[in-house]
Amino acid sequence: MLDYVIFWDWVAFAVRWLHVITGIAWIGSSFYFVALDLGLRQRPGLPAGAHGEEWQVHGGGFYHIQKYLVAPAEMPEHLTWFKWESYATWLSGFAMLAIVYYAGADLFLIDRNVLDVSAPVAILISLACLASGWIVYDLLCRSPLRNHDTLLMLVLYVILVFMAWGLTHLFTGRAAFLHLGAITATIMSANVFMVIIPNQKIVVADLIAGRKPDPKYGKIAKTRSTHNNYLTLPVLFLMLSNHYPLAFGTQFNWIIASLVFLIGVLIRHFFNTQHARKGNPTWTWLAAAILFIIIMWLSTVPKVLTGEQKVSSTAEVYTASTHFPAARDAVLGRCSMCHTQEPVYEGIYHAPKGVILDSDATIAEHAREIYLQAGRSHAMPPGNVTQITDQERALLVTWFEEAGKKQ
């Protein structure tokens, strides 16, 4: 069994690594082509059908790039397609979802205090969320709203906020954030697989057959590509959020997720505007910073984290606290079955992330992590499987904060 667990852990690592590699490739090419498209310039003497051109320098050489808005007069001999980056990113991401959240549904997917369902039912709900997100998005993009870009984006954002709220009523906070990112990533990859590439294939087929391609296919593909561009940064945040319990494990986590999308849009607007040489909207950074401060406040309502809550260089101040005996008992009773040298919780064979919480010294050394993950947020225990109470969480907060004041 132990050999199987080690093998499974390495499989998870390999798939995660693959996901990162393919994600970098996809995001890199996406960002590059949007910047290229925005930077194109028109001039007299361009070839027939050419929309614009740009000169670039990189790697010791110069590149002369021309874009044809619909298609060139005839099919080029060599044509590079950009699609496998998207497909590989989604497939590896779904594999990670299955390895971590489906195989470990009782720990990471299901919070029985939120929705008491079996693992198979939770997995079916997860799959339904991924599919329904794309269906709703695609139907809206094909509706009369497609002729009103701003209104379409506002409607989509309202739906996204509702999804963020709804997912926190289905899964653990960690899984809710991951699914919001996975739904968005599914939309992005499906845009490539279901719209962008098929439309490009239609144009290629027309060229081969000697027909004049319809410009509507390129316009639709560009719109979906633009959507992908603005969705990328929020997806990155959501995929990394499982490392930050103050984001996913607090009371207003769905609002935090919603604000993250606005921050991502603001940052992309800044860069897209610069690439298009239409100005330098530095106000977007101020707006993003304000939204981030609001997120920090929401994660710790009603009290904002302050510098006085930093972990001491020694654990003595925490063991000396009058609240330590009660806090230690809470940790030993709710956490140590996993966070010990020989875990006794079913399915756990090594202390998660190597964190040991089975003695006065180790508990005190990890005071900050306990405070953040089990006190200020509900990230631990996963799905509250050990039924830690609100009173115990409040005790952990009091223990850490009062000890911190004495440093």
Side-chain angles (χ1 to χ4, degrees):
M1 177 60 72
L2 184 59
D3 290 342
Y4 169 78
V5 171
I6 294 173
F7 171 79
W8 189 254
D9 199 54
W10 275 108
V11 169
F13 177 81
V15 174
R16 189 185 300 273
W17 193 12
L18 175 64
H19 187 52
V20 171
I21 292 170
T22 56
I24 290 172
W26 184 18
I27 293 169
S29 63
S30 174
F31 280 9
Y32 170 74
F33 278 106
V34 169
L36 172 63
D37 193 68
L38 292 171
L40 291 171
R41 288 293 173 264
Q42 296 179 340
R43 64 168 177 82
L46 283 174
H51 173 66
E53 68 177 10
E54 186 169 11
W55 283 88
Q56 298 182 355
V57 60
H58 181 74
F62 290 85
Y63 296 81
H64 184 203
I65 304 164
Q66 295 179 339
K67 178 182 178 179
Y68 290 78
L69 197 58
V70 180
E74 59 184 27
M75 184 69 183
E77 182 179 356
H78 301 289
L79 186 62
T80 301
W81 293 78
F82 291 86
K83 56 182 179 179
W84 296 112
E85 300 93 336
S86 168
Y87 303 162
T89 300
W90 189 89
L91 289 170
S92 58
F94 184 78
M96 277 301 304
L97 178 64
I99 290 171
V100 176
Y101 289 89
Y102 293 171
D106 288 326
L107 276 177
F108 301 119
L109 185 62
I110 301 169
D111 185 342
R112 302 194 186 281
N113 298 302
V114 173
L115 186 65
D116 191 2
V117 295
S118 64
V121 171
I123 293 170
L124 287 174
I125 293 173
S126 168
L127 294 172
C129 288
L130 296 182
S132 60
W134 160 252
I135 292 171
V136 171
Y137 165 82
D138 189 55
L139 289 174
L140 285 172
C141 287
R142 297 178 187 273
S143 73
L145 285 173
R146 67 181 183 275
N147 299 317
H148 307 279
D149 290 341
T150 301
L151 182 58
L152 172 62
M153 296 306 295
L154 288 174
V155 171
L156 289 173
Y157 182 70
V158 171
I159 294 174
L160 184 147
V161 173
F162 174 76
M163 286 170 46
W165 173 84
L167 288 168
T168 60
H169 289 75
L170 295 175
F171 307 119
T172 65
R174 169 177 169 168
F177 266 51
L178 189 281
H179 275 76
L180 187 60
I183 291 169
T184 308
T186 298
I187 289 172
M188 294 169 63
S189 193
N191 271 339
V192 177
F193 183 71
M194 303 291 287
V195 179
I196 297 173
I197 295 300
N199 282 14
Q200 290 176 341
K201 287 184 176 180
I202 291 173
V203 173
V204 169
D206 286 341
L207 281 175
I208 294 174
R211 298 187 297 266
K212 183 178 180 180
D214 191 331
K216 74 175 184 180
Y217 296 109
K219 181 180 179 181
I220 293 171
K222 182 179 178 181
T223 297
R224 298 297 184 104
S225 180
T226 301
H227 289 177
N228 283 2
N229 179 254
Y230 280 100
L231 292 173
T232 299
L233 295 184
V235 168
L236 287 176
F237 180 95
L238 294 168
M239 293 307 182
L240 294 172
S241 66
N242 62 324
H243 298 289
Y244 298 95
L246 285 178
F248 69 77
T250 52
Q251 180 181 359
F252 299 108
N253 50 6
W254 64 276
I255 301 178
I256 290 173
S258 303
L259 294 179
V260 164
F261 275 85
L262 294 180
I263 292 175
V265 168
L266 286 169
I267 294 173
R268 286 314 305 161
H269 177 70
F270 171 82
F271 285 106
N272 289 344
T273 302
Q274 277 204 328
H275 293 150
R277 300 179 178 90
K278 293 183 178 179
N280 189 28
T282 52
W283 63 268
T284 56
W285 291 102
L286 176 60
I290 292 173
L291 289 176
F292 197 78
I293 291 171
I294 293 173
I295 286 175
M296 293 171 62
W297 177 75
L298 286 172
S299 72
T300 55
V301 169
K303 182 178 180 180
V304 180
L305 287 172
T306 63
E308 65 187 17
Q309 295 170 343
K310 293 180 180 178
V311 179
S312 174
S313 58
T314 67
E316 294 178 354
V317 66
Y318 295 104
T319 56
S321 168
T322 57
H323 298 286
F324 179 72
R328 175 196 58 205
D329 292 344
V331 172
L332 290 174
R334 306 297 186 181
C335 310
S336 63
M337 61 282 298
C338 294
H339 291 281
T340 187
Q341 294 290 351
E342 297 180 6
V344 297
Y345 193 89
E346 184 179 359
I348 301 296
Y349 301 93
H350 302 283
K353 296 188 176 181
V355 176
I356 305 298
L357 301 173
D358 56 6
S359 69
D360 289 7
T362 56
I363 290 172
E365 289 292 344
H366 292 285
R368 181 177 182 273
E369 289 79 5
I370 294 169
Y371 167 75
L372 290 176
Q373 302 216 26
R376 275 296 183 181
S377 77
H378 293 181
M380 289 292 165
N384 201 18
V385 292
T386 59
Q387 298 295 310
I388 187 171
T389 66
D390 291 339
Q391 291 76 17
E392 288 171 321
R393 293 188 190 278
L395 170 64
L396 296 176
V397 170
T398 301
W399 164 55
F400 181 86
E401 292 185 349
E402 290 195 5
K405 292 177 181 178
K406 297 177 182 179
Q407 295 185 62

